[in-house]
Amino acid sequence: MFCEKCGKEITKGVAVCPSCGFQPTSSKVRLKNVWRVTPVEGQVPVNGFATDCVVCETCMHFCSHYHEGSAIPALSRIVIDPTEFDWMMHNTDHHLVNRLICRQCPGVAPCMAACRVPNAMSRDDKTGAVLIDDEFCNRCRACERACPYQALWFSESRDRMFKCDLCGGDPQCVQVCPVSCLKYEKIA
Amino acid sequence: MQQSNKRGGWAGKILKIDLTAGKVVEEPVTDELAYSFLGGRGFDAKFLWDMVRPGIDPLAPEAVLTLGAGLLTGTVYPECGRVNVGCLSPLTGIYGFGNSGGWWPTRLKAAGYDHIIITGRSPKPVYVLINDDGVEIKDAGDIWGKTTTETEKILRDKHGRDVRVAGIGPAGENLVRTATTIVDASYSAHGGSGAVWGSKNLKAIAVTGTKKIHIHDPQTFYDLAKQEIKRIRECTRQGEAEYKKYGTLILYKWLPKYVGHGADKRYLPPEEMDHLQPENLFEKYCVGYHAACSNCQENCTYLWEVNVGPYAGTRTGALRFGSTDYMTMGMGNANTSSMVKFHSLCNQYGLCGKMAATALYFALELYERGILTKEDTDGIEIKAGDHEAIIELTHMIALRQGFGKILGEGPGNMARFIKDAYPYRHGVYGRIYTALLPFITSTRGTDHLGCLETFTATPETRNKLHENLVKIYPDLGPPMEPGIQGKTRLMFWEEHHKTVLDCMGRCFIAGGGISGCPSIGYELDEDPMGEGQARLLTILTGREFTGAEILKAGERIFNLERAFNVRQGAGRESDMAAPADQNIQFDWLALGKVDGNIMRQYLDQYYETRGWDKDGVPTRAKLEELGLGYVADELEANRPYPPYQGPPLWPIDKYPSGGERTKW
């Protein structure tokens, strides 16, 4: 990562910049009070079907309506991507569902570390959610490449980044999931 | 046009694809069309009436295929992710529609289209790609001949993860008349429509998009959707919990004697029924969780795998009662792994399981009667309980090989190819067997989905329904009469209600189906006029709707479909169930025997209630009341039409055939 003040490279997670003595603002590095939406633990895809994801996309519909005003699955901030076609064709032995949603990584999130645009990314005060400010974002998509979980993406049609903002502390997807396979939890 | 921009709910555009010329045209959804026909099945009825001339070959280039998402599809309202597929059916020769779930329908709305109309015939195999960049007709050389799962996989890998695919498998390419449109590799629409895709050289439609649908009051609508989710979760109606657990397979428990009322003989001994109980099926073959249609709270479909036995390695989704009942209960087959295999083959080849199994069932009956012999069936002995023969014949149907060529013509048309088989045919319009009286008055041939609940409801529910209906229809007559009369008076209401649900894209399971969690937002007997539905549409579209107006739209669509059938030659004579079905023993409903005379009485009563004439033709007064004056004009100018003879069939060797046997 780079110092926000002098721009020199600093070690990740360091509290004070060795060159200029600048303390990274608390809005970027968040070690405590971070919340996230995540698939419920202990759900092995092959067993325990009663509470696992059924690929109904209800979360995607409600997410996109809540944020965009109309249910558009392609513009959802959580993506349920079935791989059942691979499974049916015996390409894989385990039938998995890719669930792409931001982990809100505590500490320095990889996307925030990759972002070099001042003020473009910040942490939500209440939930610790990583937020992108479209006013400042220059659409370089460095965050998209940096994310190890493919949890944020760029929409050509809307010309902005899409990522989970935890609905300001009231995640809609968790409320509407018919099998309760999503939970809202404090991770740090 | 300005008005249309403000209208909520509809995406606002209809996509017309002429495959002969390779031309794509967009047309706006006019207010008149939208408010009179709502969407989905309603638009299908209107377009097919306007565009299909009577008496044409359903597999000719001038035939029309329509696919449309419902009005509520693509919104946040739950359990509305459905598409209606309409065509002049090559299976029955009359109006054909089918309603399918899946993820594809919501993508169609997100792409900015309410409906797709396909005409013409492409010179070479093509598929259609619809996304934000527009509509493209692309060469399908590399996916032609592939199974539905392979097609879905290839197109999703090529065009992105949000793409969903509706299309056909090898059966549709071979113009098998029982082939169907397969949506998202697991969900089947109308049996017959697959051959229409094939005749147009159209393999698939891949859709994605990010267009916004205008909603008049998005916040209230969102709150109502959440409220509906709460209602569905808290629904404690009888059977709801079991239904959520087992899907339609629960009917193996509820309806153990259902299949084969037209047949003289039932082949599965009662003690073998244990194998088919949903608990046993789940323990043996269900691998993990289910996959649901888009935005659904019920999740009635699961994923299945066979690990041992001759069918080991079979993996499939969405196993259903409807697609497997004839080949298990009907044909005396208690081998449950063959049931999963059969379902998988139907999905992969793009066959309608219901129609293919009915054809097999009919073949078994003919074989038992000695009308079919080993020479006719290429040496395959068709006998009760022989699952190997069933699977072998399913391959042959899809690839149109040997005896499969005749089976592929569908249960009704088969009788026209087999000498002496004609007196034994079943149902009406060459579809499934007649198991209940209301089956015969559907607009698509024998149909178990047209009207079932009112007919089988308890007297209390019916009385309550009657009380509410009589406020709108004062000359409805007394509530209960002995026999079928009292029921017939209420049936037309359910037919309208279900037509409206098809227009909304709403699932019958949520909307008044087997699980009994009915109507949009409200209980059937509490809100039969659909006032809750009207309020929902008002919030969605910004135009004041009333419940009576919506039911009227259902009636309009139903009458238009009937008029379409009249144009195809349907009438009183063809409405009667085939002679073999005129002696039905209703032992699972304790209704006793129903013979031809009762059926005739029933039809008289039904026509009278509907305001049709003695021959089952909607009268001018009725049509004008529904705003269908132009239909009355056309019927009056051209009647009588040549009587119904079934669809025009091709010489059996003229069809394309062949392809690879799928290993899945």
Side-chain angles (χ1 to χ4, degrees), chain B residues 492-511:
Chain B
F492 76 100
W493 167 83
E494 187 183 338
E495 281 175 340
H496 299 166
H497 176 68
K498 287 196 162 166
T499 308
V500 169
L501 290 180
D502 274 344
C503 297
M504 300 287 162
R506 177 79 156 176
C507 182
F508 281 0
I509 308 305

Side-chain angles (χ1 to χ4, degrees), chain B residues 177 400 405 409 417 648-656:
Chain B
R177 283 174 199 265
R400 268 199 188 273
K405 285 179 190 170
E409 294 295 280
F417 285 98
L649 299 179
W650 296 11
I652 202 80
D653 292 319
K654 284 271 181 205
Y655 295 94

Side-chain angles (χ1 to χ4, degrees), chain A residues 118-159:
Chain A
N119 302 328
M121 293 187 97
S122 61
R123 290 275 191 179
D124 187 82
D125 284 341
K126 192 171 138 207
T127 60
V130 178
L131 304 177
I132 298 176
D133 193 331
D134 293 331
E135 292 276 308
F136 291 93
C137 173
N138 69 357
R139 280 69 167 161
C140 72
R141 299 168 69 172
C143 49
E144 188 182 1
R145 288 187 292 277
C147 179
Y149 309 108
Q150 305 166 34
L152 69 174
W153 44 86
F154 181 73
S155 162
E156 300 275 351
S157 69
R158 297 296 188 271
D159 188 34

Side-chain angles (χ1 to χ4, degrees), chain A:
Chain A
M1 68 183 281
F2 297 87
C3 174
E4 280 175 49
K5 195 179 174 198
C6 64
K8 285 194 177 140
E9 195 165 352
I10 50 173
T11 324
K12 275 182 190 176
V14 73
V16 180
C17 172
S19 310
C20 63
F22 176 73
Q23 287 183 352
T25 53
S26 62
S27 71
K28 265 214 158 179
V29 182
R30 180 76 82 92
L31 296 167
K32 291 275 179 211
N33 196 23
V34 180
W35 290 73
R36 70 173 175 186
V37 171
T38 181
V40 172
E41 286 163 25
Q43 301 297 332
V44 185
V46 183
N47 302 317
F49 54 83
T51 53
D52 214 332
C53 178
V54 296
V55 207
C56 67
E57 301 184 339
T58 304
C59 50
M60 292 167 72
H61 281 71
F62 277 78
C63 179
S64 51
H65 186 109
Y66 188 83
H67 292 96
E68 309 295 321
S70 167
I72 307 162
L75 297 182
S76 165
R77 281 135 167 93
I78 174 171
V79 166
I80 307 295
D81 186 22
T83 60
E84 66 179 43
F85 312 112
D86 278 316
W87 175 80
M88 282 181 198
M89 290 160 66
H90 290 255
N91 291 345
T92 61
D93 270 350
H94 292 287
H95 171 216
L96 301 165
V97 174
N98 293 332
R99 278 173 284 191
L100 311 178
I101 186 164
C102 179
R103 266 82 169 161
Q104 320 291 2
C105 309
V108 181
C111 53
M112 296 185 83
C115 182
R116 304 190 186 191
V117 183
N119 302 328
M121 293 187 97
S122 61
R123 290 275 191 179
D124 187 82
D125 284 341
K126 192 171 138 207
T127 60
V130 178
L131 304 177
I132 298 176
D133 193 331
D134 293 331
E135 292 276 308
F136 291 93
C137 173
N138 69 357
R139 280 69 167 161
C140 72
R141 299 168 69 172
C143 49
E144 188 182 1
R145 288 187 292 277
C147 179
Y149 309 108
Q150 305 166 34
L152 69 174
W153 44 86
F154 181 73
S155 162
E156 300 275 351
S157 69
R158 297 296 188 271
D159 188 34
R160 55 189 152 92
M161 296 302 301
F162 278 73
K163 80 171 286 303
C164 174
D165 61 0
L166 295 179
C167 302
D170 183 26
Q172 302 295 307
C173 49
V174 179
Q175 296 169 26
V176 297
C177 179
V179 288
S180 311
C181 75
L182 291 170
K183 66 175 174 185
Y184 182 48
E185 62 172 13
K186 193 175 181 180
I187 44 169

Side-chain angles (χ1 to χ4, degrees), chain B residues 533-544:
Chain B
Q533 190 167 302
R535 193 161 66 94
L536 184 75
L537 286 201
T538 306
I539 289 161
L540 174 68
T541 63
R543 174 188 184 266
E544 283 294 329

